[in-house]
């Protein structure tokens, strides 16, 4: 595992054995840091990014979501949505908690959660033209991987796409973040 310090963030990137390294970990860490900045995550903080396979995502999806089969990304937030600033589409009763995250001693980072991404899934989706936010984009697997990392970080930060208004806001933010390099 490698830790990438992009103030005020620490992004811990772990590649599972045998998983193709489509992009340098530094590129993925920058994508995660940009999403944390955009979401207004409490800082300083750390987040874990695990690059894995469809088989591991299928196991996690079954164990944690009760769904059979693989998915492309799973997020495991450790803070409630109220620890993050509001955003378009977020329900008003999910406002920012007083003081944001819980108090820690000086110099200690809050761990926001972990994201597990199927690199294999990103490759398949991109090759089949099922990439992007709409599932109909044919682009490079590296772009799909950056999207999945960005998407996972936003989920850790309290963003969702279950409601149309919030989905539109989340997709717009993802497009904006992917447009930055």
């Amino acid at each position: 595992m490698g830790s990438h310090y992009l103030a005020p963030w620490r992004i811990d990137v772990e590649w599972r054995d045998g998983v193709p390294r489509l992009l340098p970990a530094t590129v993925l860490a920058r994508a995660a840091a940009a999403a944390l900045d955009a979401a207004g995550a409490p800082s300083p903080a750390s987040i874990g990014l695990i690059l894995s396979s469809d088989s591991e995502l299928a196991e996690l999806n079954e164990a944690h979501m009760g769904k059979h089969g693989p998915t492309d990304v799973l997020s495991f937030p450790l803070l409630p949505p109220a620890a993050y600033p509001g955003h378009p589409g977020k329900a008003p009763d999910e406002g920012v908690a007083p003081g944001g995250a819980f108090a820690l001693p000086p110099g200690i980072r809050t761990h926001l959660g972990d994201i597990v991404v199927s690199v294999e899934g990103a490759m398949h989706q991109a090759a089949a033209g099922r990439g992007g936010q709409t599932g109909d984009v044919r682009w490079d697997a590296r772009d799909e991987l950056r999207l999945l990392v960005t998407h996972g970080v936003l989920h850790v930060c309290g963003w969702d796409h279950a409601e149309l208004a919030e989905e539109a806001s989340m997709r717009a933010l993802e497009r904006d973040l992917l447009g930055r390099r």
Side-chain angles (χ1 to χ4, degrees), residues 2 23 44 46 49 57 72 80 96 115 120 122 129 132 143-144 148-149:
L23 286 167
S46 64
L49 172 60
L57 269 286
D72 50 11
V96 178
I115 303 148
E120 186 179 0
D143 293 320
E144 185 70 7
L148 295 177
V149 168

Side-chain angles (χ1 to χ4, degrees), residues 19-86:
V19 172
R21 294 180 182 229
L22 299 181
L23 286 167
T26 54
V27 171
L28 299 175
R30 281 195 304 269
L36 290 168
D37 286 338
S43 64
S46 64
I47 193 165
L49 172 60
I50 301 165
L51 290 304
S52 191
S53 64
D54 276 352
S55 61
E56 182 174 7
L57 269 286
E59 290 174 22
L60 292 170
N61 203 22
E62 178 88 32
H64 298 283
M65 304 302 289
K67 296 181 180 176
H68 182 69
T71 188
D72 50 11
V73 60
L74 285 172
S75 297
F76 299 94
L78 294 178
L79 299 180
Y84 300 90

